[in-house]
Amino acid sequence: MTISVLLVDDEELVRTGMSAILGNSPGITVVGEASDGAEVVTKVLELRPDVVIMDVRMPRIDGITATRELMARVPEPPRVLVITTFERDDYVYEALREGASGFLLKRSRPAEIVQAVRTVAAGDSVLFPTAIRGLVSGRLKRATAGGLSHVRFTEREAEVLGLMGQGMSNAEIAAELFLGVQTVKTHVSSTLAKLGARDRTQAVVFAYEAGFIELR
């Protein structure tokens, strides 16, 4: 199945480079481009991409606001993969909280960009645990371990959430815990529902904020 991608960046050179990389990758097609977040909802409703690659810093409507509007206004919104110049960018953190499925640095290698698109299109997330910890710790003076005390996780759900925080995929978690992948998917779905998280990226951010996953 072909993965359709919408590119959103105010720099034409970045869009051109991304388009060339993705357009030459089997099973991926770039269906459109936008130069500002203000165009995103309209473009998505028109083109129905599977993945939106979104710059977080744009002059009019930034990637945070555009992601928030996508999640609120588009039924079954596409997956959002944000791109940034700096690894520890507060804009990235906010975009992840609003529903982005992961992030990439603009200096990422072509193979990393292609793999990231395939990963989020498959329903997984692109997480860099060290970077996520840095983003969260940079905003919080102190994580509060009791922040998720109201959530009643099973022992297995807690284990799965911890491994998600290490950036593990469902297959990797299954191997670590000696479970079937489908069983892991069930635990992930249950964990997301209990957290009120849209996807595993949001779940991990919430867990770090609450101190459920330690900031080391």
Side-chain angles (χ1 to χ4, degrees), residues 44-55:
V44 166
L45 290 173
E46 174 190 352
L47 301 171
R48 289 295 177 180
D50 300 307
V51 177
V52 176
I53 294 183
M54 179 107 67
D55 187 12

Side-chain angles (χ1 to χ4, degrees), residues 13-192:
L13 184 61
V14 172
R15 298 198 309 272
T16 300
M18 288 279 185
S19 183
I21 291 168
L22 297 173
N24 288 317
S25 301
I28 299 177
T29 183
V30 176
V31 295
E33 298 181 11
S35 60
D36 192 82
E39 306 170 56
V40 171
V41 170
T42 299
K43 289 277 188 180
V44 166
L45 290 173
E46 174 190 352
L47 301 171
R48 289 295 177 180
D50 300 307
V51 177
V52 176
I53 294 183
M54 179 107 67
D55 187 12
V56 290
R57 293 180 178 269
M58 292 178 284
R60 291 175 58 206
I61 301 296
D62 61 39
I64 303 166
T65 303
T67 299
R68 182 186 306 124
E69 290 183 354
L70 266 183
M71 300 305 146
R73 296 173 55 188
V74 177
E76 298 183 10
R79 307 283 283 180
V80 175
L81 184 62
V82 295
I83 54 174
T84 181
T85 303
F86 306 105
E87 188 173 88
R88 295 193 177 184
D89 186 338
D90 280 351
Y91 275 54
V92 168
Y93 176 86
E94 294 298 341
L96 294 175
R97 289 197 100 259
E98 294 298 338
S101 298
F103 73 96
L104 278 175
L105 297 177
K106 291 188 178 182
R107 64 175 182 271
S108 297
R109 296 189 301 271
E112 293 173 329
I113 296 169
V114 172
Q115 184 57 47
V117 169
R118 296 190 193 284
T119 298
V120 297
D124 216 326
S125 300
V126 179
L127 289 174
F128 301 93
T130 301
I132 296 295
R133 285 195 294 269
L135 288 168
V136 176
S137 63
R139 297 177 61 88
L140 301 179
K141 291 182 179 179
R142 180 174 58 87
T144 305
L148 293 181
S149 59
H150 64 289
V151 181
R152 296 290 180 254
F153 293 122
T154 65
E155 182 178 347
R156 189 64 86 187
E157 288 167 351
E159 288 179 318
V160 167
L161 180 56
L163 294 175
M164 285 164 55
Q166 294 178 31
M168 287 190 181
S169 66
N170 287 343
E172 290 168 334
I173 294 172
E176 177 73 18
L177 299 178
F178 302 100
L179 299 172
V181 173
Q182 190 56 52
T183 300
V184 171
K185 288 181 179 179
T186 299
H187 288 310
V188 170
S189 296
S190 177
T191 301
L192 298 187

